[in-house]
Amino acid sequence: MTYATKNPHKILPHLRRLARDTWFRLRTRDHVAYYRAVMKSDTARDPEGAVGSHTHKRWLALGRLQFDYLLEHGLKPECRMLEIGCGNLRAGRLFVGYLYTGNYYGIDISPDILMAAQDTIVRHGLGDKMPYLTPVRDLRFAFLPDEYFDVVHAHSVFSHSPPGVIEECFAHVGRIMKPDGWFDFTFDRTEGKEHQVLREDFYYRTETLVALAEKHGLRAVFMEDWENRHKQSKIRITRRRAA
């Protein structure tokens, strides 16, 4: 009620979103099917808006932000990279252009946003870099080989994921990472009670995700130098070395 009082202009859009999302929930069997329906609707309206960028300028800026950060923190042209939730390649277009040919793999649960990603490849003349774009139904990575990726990246994916989806990723991501590889992901952080909004936006405590990673043999480090760059927080995961 307090939020509504301070932000009356957001009440009507929120109610419209609530009505739409309730309809999708009634017609879908699980979170992946539900969120795929959300993305189909959002992508039809505006592919850049579907990935959280309300203007083209913002789309460019957020892609550059992600790219520059990884460049500062270990990304090299020879790295083989998997981007989870690659969307319409907001950052992916920069990764594709920077990495050696064939070294970028992008996956997403939404076939519709991957069609928009193909448009991005064409628009930016990146076809000769041979990026791999694949729709998925889960985060088990069953079709990918062991110890294959130097870098795994997921921006604004876990902010839209319930606990079961995150744990599924943690249970399997270590297998596809090289022994010295790393996995960066962002999340909506709360220091209070963990909660969700409309089953689309999920808020987690840092210690919850760190403990969940450790449960699956991974080491998680909170990336403090990311905090002033974006509203979401970031954690880096590595494989725990054998004793």
Side-chain angles (χ1 to χ4, degrees):
M1 182 63 70
T2 301
Y3 181 83
T5 302
K6 293 181 178 179
N7 300 272
H9 62 288
K10 294 186 177 181
I11 295 176
L12 186 57
H14 178 83
L15 291 175
R16 288 173 179 162
R17 177 182 167 189
L18 177 61
R20 183 201 68 169
D21 293 356
T22 299
W23 174 248
F24 287 155
R25 280 198 299 275
L26 291 172
R27 293 171 59 86
T28 52
R29 65 189 180 278
D30 55 31
H31 180 77
V32 171
Y34 160 71
Y35 204 71
R36 184 174 286 162
V38 170
M39 288 300 294
K40 181 180 180 68
S41 174
D42 288 348
T43 302
R45 186 182 307 111
D46 174 18
E48 293 185 359
V51 297
S53 301
H54 300 298
T55 67
H56 183 61
K57 181 178 179 180
R58 184 62 175 161
W59 185 83
L60 292 172
L62 285 175
R64 174 60 62 177
L65 174 67
Q66 297 172 57
F67 176 75
D68 287 347
Y69 186 84
L70 290 196
L71 217 59
E72 294 171 17
H73 290 76
L75 185 67
K76 304 295 182 186
E78 61 270 22
C79 289
R80 190 178 288 128
M81 178 180 184
L82 171 68
E83 186 166 30
I84 301 170
C86 63
N88 70 334
L89 302 185
R90 179 172 59 184
R93 66 183 180 87
L94 298 173
F95 295 134
V96 171
Y98 175 74
L99 298 172
Y100 290 164
T101 297
N103 276 15
Y104 177 88
Y105 293 68
I107 61 174
D108 205 289
I109 65 169
S110 170
D112 298 272
I113 202 65
L114 287 177
M115 294 299 172
Q118 291 181 6
D119 293 339
T120 300
I121 292 294
V122 173
R123 189 164 59 250
H124 292 273
L126 294 168
D128 61 344
K129 298 303 291 283
M130 293 295 295
Y132 298 88
L133 302 175
T134 307
V136 295
R137 68 172 64 91
D138 56 42
L139 293 182
R140 297 177 183 273
F141 316 114
F143 68 102
L144 295 171
D146 294 353
E147 298 188 352
Y148 196 68
F149 294 101
D150 302 281
V151 180
V152 181
H153 180 246
H155 181 90
S156 198
V157 174
F158 290 169
S159 54
H160 302 298
S161 301
V165 171
I166 298 175
E167 179 156 21
E168 178 179 78
C169 179
F170 286 175
H172 298 279
V173 73
R175 178 186 65 79
I176 63 171
M177 293 166 55
K178 292 183 179 180
D180 57 350
W182 37 273
F183 170 28
D184 278 12
F185 66 85
T186 64
F187 67 104
D188 282 326
R189 182 167 64 92
T190 179
E191 295 182 356
K193 183 179 180 180
E194 295 179 333
H195 62 284
Q196 54 83 18
V197 178
L198 296 179
R199 299 298 296 173
E200 280 189 41
D201 302 308
F202 293 79
Y203 293 80
Y204 295 101
R205 294 173 63 89
T206 301
E207 50 266 39
T208 296
L209 298 180
V210 169
L212 192 58
E214 291 178 348
K215 174 183 174 182
H216 293 284
L218 304 168
R219 179 174 178 267
V221 176
F222 186 78
M223 305 297 278
E224 294 184 1
D225 64 346
W226 172 262
E227 283 296 278
N228 294 325
R229 308 189 191 203
H230 190 269
K231 65 179 181 179
Q232 293 183 12
S233 296
K234 183 185 284 283
I235 285 176
R236 172 165 292 191
I237 279 180
T238 54
R239 289 173 52 175
R240 187 180 298 156
R241 296 187 181 279

